Amino acid sequence: THIYRIGAQDLQNLKELKQLNLSFNNFTRVPNEALRRLDKLKVLKIDHNPIRKLTRESFEKLSSLEVLTISHMPRLVVVESYTFADLCNLKNLELNHNPVLTVIENNAFCPTDSELQSFALESISINNNKLNNLSKDLLPWCYLNNVNLNDNPWNCDCYFSWTKNCSSPHFQSIK
């Protein structure tokens, strides 16, 4: 459809909207001014857009979101700190096939230290990107129901050895 912008008021009459697919458009940033008005939004797909970076503002105030797909983004390079901080009900994240994604900063998600009992994320797929390292402190990896980190050019050094210590049967071996 080649939409490149959604104004802050454009979705205001869709208060009951639960799913939104913004894939295959020309967004250069997440249209968060419009999205944050969707209090009941559970599923957001924003695949195939030329967004270069995801920031704290990208998904700000989207606390009802449970499923998020950010895949096939030809220009996505970085997921900055606190990008997913407001998504404390997020259960499933797909961040796949982003050919120039090289960085997911350490504090990209909700706090996890003492709040494991309230941590909602169950499944994460971060495959076919250009990542070579992920912090063990980024997520409570071994407590997630499904983790897929395949097909990234991982730098398998001592800083990445934490992946071998995860005994969860749902933690897929890294290829």
Side-chain angles (χ1 to χ4, degrees), residues 88-89 110-122 140 143:
C88 291
N89 288 308
C110 287
T112 60
D113 291 339
S114 62
E115 300 175 25
L116 258 183
Q117 67 276 6
S118 64
F119 194 73
L121 192 66
E122 298 172 359
Y143 295 97

Side-chain angles (χ1 to χ4, degrees), residues 84-109:
F84 306 117
D86 281 359
L87 304 182
C88 291
N89 288 308
L90 188 67
K91 293 180 179 171
N92 185 337
L93 174 63
E94 293 183 20
L95 193 62
N96 302 318
H97 300 279
N98 300 301
V100 293
L101 177 60
T102 56
V103 175
I104 299 176
E105 292 184 358
N106 288 351
N107 296 321
F109 289 87

Side-chain angles (χ1 to χ4, degrees), residues 60-148:
E60 190 174 46
K61 298 184 181 174
L62 291 177
S63 60
S64 64
L65 207 59
E66 294 179 2
V67 176
L68 177 60
T69 66
I70 309 166
S71 297
H72 299 277
M73 306 284 265
R75 296 184 182 157
L76 183 61
V77 175
V78 62
V79 175
E80 293 183 355
S81 291
Y82 307 107
T83 293
F84 306 117
D86 281 359
L87 304 182
C88 291
N89 288 308
L90 188 67
K91 293 180 179 171
N92 185 337
L93 174 63
E94 293 183 20
L95 193 62
N96 302 318
H97 300 279
N98 300 301
V100 293
L101 177 60
T102 56
V103 175
I104 299 176
E105 292 184 358
N106 288 351
N107 296 321
F109 289 87
C110 287
T112 60
D113 291 339
S114 62
E115 300 175 25
L116 258 183
Q117 67 276 6
S118 64
F119 194 73
L121 192 66
E122 298 172 359
S123 178
I124 188 165
S125 181
I126 309 177
N127 70 62
N128 281 294
N129 298 298
K130 205 162 184 129
L131 297 167
N132 61 34
N133 208 339
L134 284 175
S135 170
K136 70 176 180 174
D137 299 323
L138 180 66
L139 286 167
W141 298 103
C142 297
Y143 295 97
L144 301 179
N145 290 340
N146 187 38
V147 176
N148 182 348

Side-chain angles (χ1 to χ4, degrees), residues 10-67:
D10 291 348
L11 303 176
Q12 70 181 358
N13 294 329
L14 301 173
K15 297 272 186 207
E16 299 298 314
L17 189 68
K18 291 188 169 95
Q19 296 185 25
L20 182 59
N21 189 341
L22 296 175
S23 300
F24 294 98
N25 283 297
N26 286 320
F27 292 109
T28 56
R29 63 183 191 81
V30 177
N32 58 336
E33 297 87 4
L35 295 176
R36 65 174 70 144
R37 298 176 186 275
L38 303 174
D39 296 337
K40 297 185 179 177
L41 189 64
K42 302 277 186 210
V43 177
L44 177 61
K45 296 182 179 189
I46 194 156
D47 307 329
H48 296 275
N49 278 287
I51 297 170
R52 293 184 48 78
K53 66 181 178 176
L54 296 173
T55 66
R56 180 179 205 141
E57 293 78 26
S58 295
F59 305 105
E60 190 174 46
K61 298 184 181 174
L62 291 177
S63 60
S64 64
L65 207 59
E66 294 179 2
V67 176

